[in-house]
Amino acid sequence: MSAILSADDLNDFISPGVACIKPVETLPAAPPSTGDLEHEVILDGQQNTGANAGPAQISLTDCLACSGCVTSAEAVLVSLQSHAELLNVLDSAPALQLTQQDGGFKVEGLENPDSKLFVASVSPQTRASLAAVAGRGVSERDAGRIIAQLLMGSEGLRAGGKWNNGFTWVVDTNAAREACLVLGAEEALDSNGKVAKPILTSSCPGWVCYAEKTHPHVLPHISKVKSPQALMGTLLKTTLSRTLGISPDRIWHLAVMPCFDKKLEASREELTDAVWNGSGQPGRGVRDVDCVITSKEILMLTESRNIDFFGLSKAPIPASSQTPFPDPTLQRFLFSRRPRNTQSDLLAGTSGGNLYYTLKYVSAQHPGSKIETIRGRNADVVEYTVNSAAGEPIFKAARYYGFRNIQNLVRRLKPAKQSRMPGAKPAAARKPAGKQAGLEYAYVEVMACPGGCTNGGGQIKVDDPVVVERKGFESKPGAQEQKQWLAQVDEAYFSAEDSELDSETDGENSTVIKGGQAQEGSDMVDGISPSYIRDTLAHWASMTGIEADKLVYTSYREVVSDVGKDNAASGTERVVQLAGKIGGGW
């Protein structure tokens, strides 16, 4: 288990006094002999050492689809997806090897069922956090190269372990983020779309979890576009399995993220091959993202292997050590370096720029329009209006960060209760207090963490020993030091370099897109060409033979707790009833 969370966290939630509402895998042969019914959570891979088969065996998937013991079930999952799991998988068998042959690729090592092809994706927030820790002029780009050296290089993970395994590719989630930005903007402007207005962003798994379990009335408003992590996972699993002719479970995808809740997102049944490789419905298939570790766990990973993270080279992986991606079109999409304006503009924020890009997308369709910004009650609530050249409002949106602000937003979206009085008029839609009638929000960017994703729970904090040591703090850092530290992380995030790379830096998989525009179309919006993104997604769907909607969109469902409700139904009836709930939620 991860050192960050342990099974001890279960004690205050999983207890005989709390009824577990999920179905059991097999019913007990006979009723319990005692009056009290004990329930036990069996972790994946853990053997039940009890002599009797009485306690229900509950998988993590069951727990994630439950709202009866939210924090404990999620804590178990978070602890199981850790740097220790990564090392165990790396040491389980020799990695699959790719060799180019007759214009294609040959996969070697398939005779060993435990062998995997390792691929990783890294978020820009993680790179920013590690760059801030490194200090001394280390940029976000430098931190990305150090991570690549750790995962792919000869001085990193390959230098140790049972099989000297490493990752074949390390990709930047910014590529998937650009696709998500275009898809989100188009979704926001689709008047006949399936998502109710205002559209609420869905890239924050903590927010989605909160909505599914406590406020199901907002689910019709949540964007159906996958998060960058989820989209990248689907892209890698579908493309590699189809082009290499191997099963998705032979591809092991690691995501390095700023947030613990991303581990929960990776375990959603909506994000497995059951959706794109099976019936099209959520199910217990092969995950698109096998494991998520956080920025903090990168340092725990290096410590476990006795590697000095900050001593690794900041040079790119040599071209001779890189393997070309099997599909040339997607190789260009994943590895080309181009200006990322939404990561260098302060107005875009540190959470990917969903709202900012949508505003720019709307403005680009109305020449002469301007974006007006109005700060709300605090720094984490901001309203935006796109006004036409004549000053008329065209599009209104907002940003809500932090659960305190999210609760206010959710309250505003709650439908009014219908009167039970005979002959009463239908209840009118709830109007926000103090707001004038007129244009309401069409789009809202929602993030659980105050300040956005650079302040995610998995980021390295100012009071972590590595920061205290490297920054030379003589006493425990306080609130002011934490504020200054977050400013340093944000500075690293916004300083993402857009300069062109020389041939040595490019490597075999990297291509320079000069001016961010070459061969990408002329419809640039904030450095991203929507037509290029659409063409790339169409190519992806065509080469995999999978409908585009299955690749880029996801779904949500209400998670209902039965805790405290009538349990008079027989054991078999309860299992049948509860089994119907499996397949969605957390």
Side-chain angles (χ1 to χ4, degrees):
M1 280 195 175
S2 167
I4 299 175
L5 290 170
S6 68
D8 293 338
D9 297 327
L10 297 174
N11 294 340
D12 60 341
F13 285 89
I14 303 294
S15 66
V18 178
C20 182
I21 68 171
K22 298 311 299 175
V24 296
E25 300 295 335
T26 57
L27 292 175
S33 57
T34 61
D36 295 331
L37 178 62
E38 297 283 347
H39 291 272
E40 178 183 1
V41 174
I42 304 299
L43 307 183
D44 290 348
Q46 175 180 327
Q47 298 297 322
N48 183 5
T49 57
N52 299 323
Q57 295 191 13
I58 305 166
S59 72
L60 283 175
T61 305
D62 292 328
C63 285
L64 293 174
C66 162
S67 62
C69 47
V70 177
T71 303
S72 297
E74 292 171 355
V76 171
L77 179 73
V78 168
S79 65
L80 288 182
Q81 291 194 61
S82 66
H83 69 287
E85 179 192 4
L86 165 59
L87 293 176
N88 288 337
V89 175
L90 286 173
D91 288 344
S92 62
L96 295 177
Q97 302 295 324
L98 297 185
T99 57
Q100 289 184 278
Q101 189 177 63
D102 300 329
F105 290 85
K106 179 182 179 181
V107 183
E108 299 178 349
L110 289 172
E111 62 278 2
N112 188 332
D114 295 326
S115 294
K116 309 283 186 183
L117 180 66
F118 296 102
V119 58
S121 57
V122 183
S123 70
Q125 292 85 2
T126 288
R127 296 193 294 270
S129 182
L130 291 167
V133 177
R136 296 192 299 274
V138 175
S139 67
E140 181 251 18
R141 177 173 154 192
D142 292 333
R145 289 174 173 172
I146 296 174
I147 295 173
Q149 290 285 357
L150 171 65
L151 300 178
M152 296 177 62
S154 59
E155 301 299 319
L157 297 178
R158 293 183 186 275
K162 185 177 181 180
W163 303 103
N164 300 110
N165 286 334
F167 285 74
T168 303
W169 295 287
V170 176
V171 299
D172 183 356
T173 58
N174 268 325
R177 180 183 65 91
E178 292 182 356
C180 292
L181 294 181
V182 173
L183 291 168
E186 293 178 343
E187 182 183 56
L189 295 184
D190 185 1
S191 58
N192 299 317
K194 298 180 181 179
V195 184
K197 301 294 175 68
I199 293 178
L200 311 177
T201 58
S202 59
S203 56
C204 174
W207 146 244
V208 172
C209 176
Y210 173 71
E212 287 184 317
K213 291 179 175 179
T214 61
H215 297 290
H217 65 273
V218 306
L219 296 184
H221 295 273
I222 297 182
S223 169
K224 295 186 181 299
V225 177
K226 289 181 178 179
S227 71
Q229 171 185 295
L231 188 68
M232 182 63 77
T234 306
L235 187 151
L236 293 173
K237 285 291 182 86
T238 55
T239 302
L240 294 175
S241 64
R242 296 297 168 91
T243 57
L244 300 177
I246 60 178
S247 172
D249 63 0
R250 305 303 295 270
I251 303 161
W252 202 82
H253 176 206
L254 170 74
V256 188
M257 293 287 146
C259 176
F260 285 114
D261 287 341
K262 284 294 183 180
K263 300 173 187 255
L264 304 179
E265 177 185 297
S267 297
R268 291 182 66 93
E269 293 186 351
E270 291 86 353
L271 301 176
T272 67
D273 74 331
V275 175
W276 53 264
N277 199 32
S279 64
Q281 299 298 318
R284 300 187 182 188
V286 178
R287 294 177 183 176
D288 291 341
V289 180
D290 296 279
C291 180
V292 176
I293 62 174
T294 61
S295 311
K296 187 178 301 186
E297 289 173 291
I298 282 287
L299 298 183
M300 298 169 66
L301 174 65
T302 56
E303 183 178 354
S304 297
R305 283 285 183 90
N306 295 317
I307 299 172
D308 178 11
F309 178 82
F310 303 104
L312 291 172
S313 172
K314 294 190 289 290
I317 299 294
S320 58
S321 301
Q322 296 189 36
T323 302
F325 200 73
D327 184 87
T329 300
L330 293 181
Q331 173 178 311
R332 178 170 172 268
F333 173 69
L334 291 172
F335 297 100
S336 295
R337 287 195 59 85
R338 47 194 178 271
R340 304 192 187 279
N341 295 354
T342 50
Q343 198 182 318
S344 58
D345 194 320
L346 296 177
L347 294 177
T350 61
S351 301
N354 295 276
L355 171 60
Y356 182 74
Y357 184 82
T358 299
L359 293 170
K360 300 286 281 188
Y361 191 91
V362 173
S363 181
Q365 298 185 359
H366 297 83
S369 61
K370 295 182 179 180
I371 301 174
E372 179 185 1
T373 303
I374 303 176
R375 178 169 170 171
R377 294 181 178 179
N378 54 64
D380 285 325
V381 177
V382 184
E383 294 184 352
Y384 301 87
T385 303
V386 179
N387 295 317
S388 67
E392 296 295 325
I394 302 171
F395 186 85
K396 191 171 183 179
R399 182 180 74 191
Y400 279 73
Y401 287 1
F403 273 113
R404 179 177 299 179
N405 295 320
I406 289 174
Q407 288 171 355
N408 293 330
L409 172 67
V410 168
R411 193 177 300 117
R412 292 172 57 177
L413 292 174
K414 190 172 184 179
K417 293 183 178 180
Q418 297 290 331
S419 174
R420 297 184 179 181
M421 296 297 292
K425 295 181 180 180
R430 178 171 298 195
K431 292 290 184 182
K435 293 290 181 181
Q436 299 179 352
L439 185 67
E440 294 298 332
Y441 298 149
Y443 190 85
V444 183
E445 182 175 277
V446 185
M447 296 289 163
C449 293
C453 293
T454 50
N455 189 32
Q459 296 284 75
I460 303 166
K461 305 302 181 183
V462 69
D463 56 354
D464 285 340
V466 63
V467 179
V468 173
E469 178 183 351
R470 294 183 68 85
K471 300 300 180 182
F473 292 124
E474 296 181 356
S475 60
K476 184 177 180 180
Q480 184 61 31
E481 287 80 9
Q482 173 66 10
K483 184 177 180 180
Q484 294 172 352
W485 171 249
L486 290 178
Q488 293 179 39
V489 178
D490 288 349
E491 181 181 0
Y493 177 85
F494 288 122
S495 67
E497 296 172 302
D498 297 328
S499 60
E500 296 179 8
L501 310 178
D502 56 29
S503 58
E504 178 184 359
T505 303
D506 288 347
E508 187 166 342
N509 279 331
S510 294
T511 315
V512 176
I513 303 297
K514 295 185 178 180
Q517 192 169 342
Q519 301 179 358
E520 288 193 10
S522 57
D523 58 338
M524 304 295 289
V525 177
D526 202 45
I528 302 173
S529 167
S531 62
Y532 169 70
I533 295 296
R534 286 190 291 267
D535 290 345
T536 301
L537 296 178
H539 170 80
W540 175 23
S542 175
M543 58 88 60
T544 56
I546 304 172
E547 296 177 17
D549 285 359
K550 290 184 179 181
L551 297 173
V552 302
Y553 297 116
T554 186
S555 60
Y556 316 96
R557 62 176 298 177
E558 178 182 1
V559 179
V560 181
S561 170
D562 289 343
V563 173
K565 296 182 180 180
D566 182 17
N567 294 325
S570 68
T572 302
E573 290 173 344
R574 290 190 65 213
V575 168
V576 172
Q577 294 169 2
L578 293 169
K581 297 180 181 179
I582 293 183
W586 298 83

